[in-house]
Amino acid sequence: MTDFTYDLGEDGIAVITWNVPNRSMNVMSREGFAELDAHVDAALADAAVKGVVITSGKDSFAGGMDLNIIAKMRDEAGDEPARGLFEGIMQIHAILRKIERAGMDPKTLKGGKPIAAALPGTALGIGLEIPLACHRIFAADNPKAKIGLPEIMVGIFPGAGGTTRLVRKLGAMGASPFLLEGKLSDPKKAKSAGLIDEVADDPVAAAKAWVLQATDADLVKPWDRKGYRMPGGAPYTPDGFMTFLGASAMVNGRTQGVYPAARALLSAVYEGALVPFDTALKIEARWFTNVLMNPSSSAMIRSLFVNKEALEKGANRPDVPDQKVRKVGVLGAGMMGAGIALVSAQAGIEVVLVDQSREAAEKGRAYTADHVEKGVKRGKTTPEKGEAMLARITATDGYAALSGCDLIVEAVFEDMGVKAEVTKKAEAAAPEAVFATNTSTLPITDLAKASERPADFIGIHFFSPVEKMMLVEIIKGRETGERAVAKALDFVRQIRKTPIVVNDARFFYANRCIIPYINEGIRMVKEGVAPALVENAARLVGMPLGPLQLTDETSIDLGVKIATATKAAMGDAYPNEAVDEVLFWMAGEGRLGRKANAGFYAYDESGRRQGIWTGLAAKYPPAAEQPDLQEVQHRLLFAQVLEAVRAFEDGVLEDIREGDVGAILGWGFAPWSGGPFSWLDMLGAPYAAERADALAAAHGERFACPALLRQMADKGQSFYRRFGDGAAAVAA
Ligand code: NAD
């Protein structure tokens, strides 16, 4: 396999073209690095070569590094994984530094060969770090292209010199949105930010023209010159000091200190700024190794990159022919239906949006019109594309229009009777379609009783707001067949979301785990734990919202509704009376949450959240003695992860990879941990079981250690070693 080709033209320019076979986008592998290195050596050694252009044979430059490389470097180093990683990273630095120095005399800085990068489109991660080592970067005028360093999003940071080079190029302040937030830009914006040098119609031609006229001075990077000063000031200058002080506070404020990558990045930048460039690269490599050795980074890469992608590509798809959706019927044009219509039309699928009245259906369609209008204003889409998207949605009150639909997604009221009625009507109108329900609480198997074809009946559970939330939970009823599962998965793939496939049980997977989190928070308030402690403990362990804030956001009356229904279903076994006491009292006080401008928190007239509502302390005064932070955090996290283990044990969840990816994307479970199962692996099964026992003894049976976890503790097993390939618990 050849990832890079080398072609010396008559003009004396060697063009190195990156074109990884059988992939739509270039991804850097170890073999790829070796090939690039050999081509650079050949160009520098050949007197006939005047200069080099590095480009791509695809419509993009590169999507990044194959993150499996990292695992390989670590594994191959046996007992010394950190050394293996550090040396592997230093080899990459050496290749890129060779490009940057391009054969010039290190003293006179003369005699190098110009090397330019020509980017036809998207250039991410290593796809930008290589160009940053070149002497000049040309990008095609392609507004869809994305240029940037998104590493921080999967729990690492740019570790192939991108951090050190960008900071020296733009200054710490200028580089911070790209490094710390993983900000991506189109070519024009990338040029004005100083990320790249030129935007050209034909970047290869422009790069060649530049190479032919480049002088010795054009090849020397500012940081390789004597007297170089970092833009914005080095850390020990007054300006630089302010930058680093601010950046440090910002990073810790945003990450609550739980993301090792952001902190390590900042350290690499700070320490690197104090020393010469080559030493800075070494420091970058050390911090990068430090991050890669942190279990949080491996877990984040595994869940947010490797397994997320595997699920999106159909890791758990039954082997049935392509089920791509052409025409979807959406029943109910309320909050969820309108969102489902929007994302479907966006994916190019024809949509029939049905509601009880024409007006209600039109209102749902208007949601897309609104979205399009905003998109056009922000330059995210063109008026023509927006029009075409809107034209794909037909709003109606007649079921006949569903004829020809190959998928129906139902999002009418959460009511068995109403859902049964629309199921019958829709199935009659679209006899070929797979029928999916977006119910959040009703059993799929029960709803399927209204269907003539229960094998074609399935749950497709979206989260709100549909256009923003990336997870879709697909739920199999007892009789759901393979075609329906494949249809649901292919649909989710079309609308570019991440699916998990679970079995039918109360609250499916996501809600089953998030409800105990909320309940534990409320229960603590009743016990006299200070609400601020509960909320801060959650945030400090990486939950996006504390349980009380989350309750305010989703509304207290929804909580009351769910509690009432659950109690009716469970009878005497219902375990949440203590929670309900608080919840029902709040509802009685009219404190229904954010929508009422009154909940566990106080809100000002404009709806801005203030502190915890003082009335809460009057009813539930905080105890004189408060628990320690870790105890509160463990209560909040164990409430979720033990439920995840039970869901896996029960066979509701069939694959821990889905359990982890679903938890992060579905309810924001502490992303730094890689998900509930990854977190339990970090703790180690013996310690996790011991903590569950202690929590159960102190707080109740809801923390009882699941049999599977106990067994794993006894045998010293980990979830990922035992089930990481997608194996089900029941089969083990
Ligand atoms: P909603 O009240 O906003 O919308 C329901 C819509 O269905 C209304 O427009 C109503 O007119 C329409 N409808 C009712 N009966 C109908 C009929 N016989 N034929 C056609 N249309 C009919 O509700 P929603 O929040 O969009 O929820 C819809 C479904 O999605 C529910 O099953 C809910 O449990 C589920 N769900 C909601 C959320 C959420 O956060 N709101 C999340 C996931 C799933």
Side-chain angles (χ1 to χ4, degrees), residues 691-701 703-704:
R691 283 304 292 147
D693 290 341
L695 289 168
H699 307 292
E701 274 308 292
F703 289 109

Side-chain angles (χ1 to χ4, degrees), residues 255-258 516-518 520-521 524 529-543 545-547 626-642 669-670 672-673 679-680 683 687 691-692 695 699 703:
T255 64
Q256 310 288 344
V258 286
Y517 167 68
I518 291 176
E520 201 58 30
M524 281 193 254
V529 179
L533 174 56
V534 174
E535 294 292 271
N536 286 331
R539 299 288 311 277
L540 284 169
V541 80
M543 293 299 293
L545 302 183
Q626 292 290 313
D628 73 31
L629 182 67
Q630 198 199 50
E631 179 76 1
V632 177
Q633 289 178 328
H634 276 185
R635 284 181 72 173
L636 293 172
L637 289 189
F638 273 86
Q640 301 171 69
V641 302
L642 294 177
F669 180 88
W672 63 267
S673 69
W679 187 63
L680 285 169
L683 295 183
Y687 177 68
R691 283 304 292 147
L695 289 168
H699 307 292
F703 289 109

Side-chain angles (χ1 to χ4, degrees), residues 244-536:
F244 278 91
L245 203 65
S248 178
M250 188 191 87
V251 165
N252 282 298
R254 284 212 188 144
T255 64
Q256 310 288 344
V258 286
Y259 292 88
R263 238 203 264 194
L265 166 77
L266 217 52
S267 299
V269 170
Y270 181 87
E271 293 167 20
L274 301 171
V275 293
F277 186 79
D278 286 295
T279 314
L281 285 182
K282 219 182 259 177
I283 289 174
E284 185 194 289
R286 289 205 195 287
W287 277 113
F288 194 46
T289 303
N290 176 291
V291 164
L292 296 177
M293 288 300 294
N294 190 306
S296 162
S297 298
S298 346
M300 278 180 83
I301 291 174
R302 185 173 61 203
S303 291
L304 291 172
F305 182 79
V306 181
N307 289 340
K308 176 172 169 289
E309 201 173 273
L311 298 179
E312 285 163 1
K313 286 193 171 157
N316 290 330
R317 186 187 185 280
D319 190 11
V320 212
D322 186 17
Q323 294 293 323
K324 205 164 162 204
V325 176
R326 295 177 312 277
K327 184 173 172 186
V328 64
V330 179
L331 311 184
M335 187 166 96
M336 298 304 286
I340 298 166
L342 165 82
V343 296
S344 305
Q346 207 163 33
I349 302 170
E350 200 185 327
V351 182
V352 180
L353 183 57
V354 185
D355 207 299
Q356 298 177 92
S357 69
R358 184 73 194 266
E359 296 73 51
E362 283 297 348
K363 200 169 151 222
R365 185 174 181 267
Y367 188 71
T368 294
D370 239 33
H371 180 88
V372 163
E373 201 183 304
K374 280 190 197 129
V376 171
K377 259 195 207 139
R378 292 192 194 135
K380 292 206 162 146
T381 186
T382 61
E384 297 74 40
K385 281 194 187 142
E387 278 303 311
M389 188 171 141
L390 198 55
R392 269 179 227 124
I393 305 179
T394 308
T396 174
D397 57 357
Y399 281 73
L402 295 174
S403 163
C405 283
D406 50 329
L407 174 70
I408 307 279
V409 182
E410 166 278 302
V412 298
F413 296 141
E414 189 74 339
D415 179 286
M416 214 61 165
V418 179
K419 286 193 190 291
E421 183 198 326
V422 301
T423 304
K424 287 192 189 338
K425 280 192 192 163
E427 279 189 349
E432 301 296 317
V434 165
F435 189 98
T437 169
N438 181 46
T439 180
S440 17
T441 55
L442 303 170
I444 306 301
T445 306
D446 289 354
L447 288 171
K449 286 182 185 143
S451 169
E452 293 280 320
R453 296 176 283 115
D456 278 344
F457 194 99
I458 195 163
I460 301 186
H461 183 213
F462 285 88
F463 295 81
S464 171
V466 178
E467 61 279 18
K468 292 221 176 89
M469 297 297 286
M470 290 313 296
L471 186 74
V472 178
E473 208 172 10
I474 295 172
I475 305 118
K476 297 184 279 190
R478 201 172 304 136
E479 293 181 62
T480 302
E482 290 194 337
R483 179 177 92 104
V485 176
K487 187 95 200 166
L489 282 166
D490 291 356
F491 175 56
V492 172
R493 188 171 182 171
Q494 277 173 283
I495 57 173
R496 292 168 175 262
K497 296 201 182 284
T498 309
I500 63 171
V501 183
V502 302
N503 285 303
D504 197 12
R506 186 193 307 283
F507 301 133
F508 316 131
Y509 174 60
N511 287 339
R512 172 175 178 162
C513 297
I514 193 71
I515 292 171
Y517 167 68
I518 291 176
N519 284 350
E520 201 58 30
I522 297 176
R523 203 185 287 269
M524 281 193 254
V525 170
K526 170 144 192 315
E527 289 170 12
V529 179
L533 174 56
V534 174
E535 294 292 271
N536 286 331

